[in-house]
Amino acid sequence: MEEESAILMLTELYKQHPKHYVAVDCSIFGYEEGELKLLLYPRGFEPAQGKWSLMGGFVQEKESVEEAARRVLLQTTGLKDIFLEQASAFSKPDRDAGARVISMTFVALIRIDIHDKDLVRENGAHWWPVTKLPSLIFDHEEIVANALSALQQKASIDLIGKELLPEMFTLMQLRNLYEAIFQKTFDPGNFRKKVLSIGILERLNIKNTNESKKGAYYYQFKPLDSGLRSERIVKFP
Amino acid sequence: MEEESAILMLTELYKQHPKHYVAVDCSIFGYEEGELKLLLYPRGFEPAQGKWSLMGGFVQEKESVEEAARRVLLQTTGLKDIFLEQASAFSKPDRDAGARVISMTFVALIRIDIHDKDLVRENGAHWWPVTKLPSLIFDHEEIVANALSALQQKASIDLIGKELLPEMFTLMQLRNLYEAIFQKTFDPGNFRKKVLSIGILERLNIKNTNESKKGAYYYQFKPLDSGLRSERIVKFP
DNA sequence: CCAAAAGTGTTGCTTGTACACCCATGT
DNA sequence: ACATGGGTGTACAAGCAACACTTTTGG
């Protein structure tokens, strides 16, 4: 009773303060045809018709911002269990033309080879190479720049690829992914040695003979439960 | 006109969604007597009376979350122009007993030697060594853990100290700060060489003779405008 | 045969790390 | 005199970058 009335008082205290719309905006990255790509949606209505936009949505009453972001991703790509990480909050009072909206932004990594292409097409969405992005709505260009540098940061600490590449991949494919993320080339020999030295890749006895004459072994990430996955890279680029 | 009515429609669209209280919670770090300390406020009322809490406040209509955080910091420490950086958002629907509150958290670094001690005392606040923190309200312990690792991350990329130490400091003082942040010792000789090799410190012709028999030169951070401050450390700990 | 990628090896440079060592001085 | 921190030097190991070289095979 004591306790309950105390909470009531607290609730009263809060009422002096304004409430806000809270949104999530997701920078959804994928990798295809040697390029890092971003999933964008066209705006069908004014203001800013014709401009492109990150996928987003509003945070509802009984969900955390992460849950809201996962809901949005499921709705738009049909995928559960994808990599999702908080980036920065964007909150300038006038950042959205419609109303004051505080946006929590996320970085999502998706395997383009398994997402629901029909669902994406249905929404009019399009995968844009990050090197040739169109003009974006509101402050979304700033959000994307922020997401990209968060992605680079992550890629230089952890070996990513599980989230963006197919189950099996060659070391050249992994290197091309890293070159797409950092927009620079890596020495093939050194890249191979560094990546293998981490010890989280497993060579399969299958070769890819499409992309080279000699044929390159496929690799996969060791299963998470298979004992020792040290996981850490000290520094990448 | 076209434009205005379009914005009206947009505003209508937003109205389907709930609004939320948005708060900022600041992990305010300082350095004193060889220890890294966190500024905490006692809760004078139920629920959770007697527990301690981070300094926070609600985001108002016409301010960004950063502006809200700066406002809170000014109110509680009397300091403007302090280092402030976003950490993570915390948003579980039931994280606050009073109501559903979404909290954006920040890391703030302040120089204990110049903050307004009276103002802090007035609020009943207390500087706690991070190694001996009391029990905190709600999810604030999780927020602090997150802030601490963000601080370590930052300290390993940039040379911090300007934000926490007095204008002039000896290299031992700087090393002690880093030892407090990482909770490990650093080799004095190696630390000195590494830090000086960055080239952003300037030796003064003044010696500190209090803390050692021989006396140690004071250093300061080179003024920002003095040409080349490369600023980057590759990796610290 | 030749181009192109796969895969391995070598070498030199930079960095980190663990120390040893002398210096200055207050107690 | 000696303990304490200041400051410099050295020696070894680890990691990285540049690049040479061999292998394989489709065109």
Side-chain angles (χ1 to χ4, degrees), chain B residues 138-207:
Chain B
F138 302 157
D139 55 359
H140 286 202
E141 295 186 16
E142 203 184 332
I143 294 175
V144 169
N146 178 265
L148 253 172
S149 82
L151 175 59
Q152 291 186 347
Q153 170 100 4
K154 180 175 174 55
S156 61
I157 292 172
D158 298 334
L159 183 62
I160 63 177
K162 205 189 185 60
E163 300 84 3
L164 291 164
L165 294 173
E167 220 71 56
M168 310 189 306
F169 48 87
T170 64
L171 293 184
M172 182 175 72
Q173 288 165 353
L174 182 60
R175 176 166 50 86
N176 286 338
L177 168 61
Y178 265 81
E179 293 182 340
I181 291 175
F182 289 100
Q183 289 294 305
K184 58 173 273 192
T185 59
F186 292 93
D187 179 277
N190 294 338
F191 184 87
R192 141 184 235 91
K193 273 179 282 184
K194 168 120 191 187
V195 152
L196 292 178
S197 76
I198 302 168
I200 65 174
L201 293 185
E202 201 165 53
R203 200 184 77 179
L204 304 176
N205 278 322
I206 314 169
K207 282 199 169 189

Side-chain angles (χ1 to χ4, degrees), chain A residues 6 11 14 17-21 46-47 58-61 63-65 86 89 91 96 98 100 153 234-235, chain B residues 3 6 11 14 17-21 46 58-61 63-65 86 89 91 96 98 100 153 234-235:
Chain A
T11 308
Y14 288 178
H17 300 286
K19 289 183 159 193
H20 308 274
Y21 293 118
E46 293 293 345
F58 287 90
V59 177
Q60 302 301 312
E61 287 292 2
E63 62 182 5
S64 66
V65 291
Q86 276 192 25
S91 64
D96 187 311
R100 200 272 158 95
Q153 169 99 2
V234 187
K235 178 172 164 290
Chain B
E3 184 68 5
T11 307
Y14 289 178
H17 299 286
K19 288 185 160 191
H20 308 274
Y21 293 119
E46 292 295 343
F58 288 89
V59 177
Q60 303 299 313
E61 287 293 1
E63 63 182 5
S64 65
V65 291
Q86 276 191 26
S91 64
D96 187 309
R100 199 272 157 93
Q153 170 100 4
V234 187
K235 178 172 165 290

Side-chain angles (χ1 to χ4, degrees), chain B residues 40 48 50-53 128 132-137 140-141:
Chain B
L40 294 175
K51 289 205 172 190
W52 293 74
S53 153
W128 290 81
K132 297 159 204 151
L133 292 179
S135 173
L136 302 185
I137 197 177
H140 286 202
E141 295 186 16

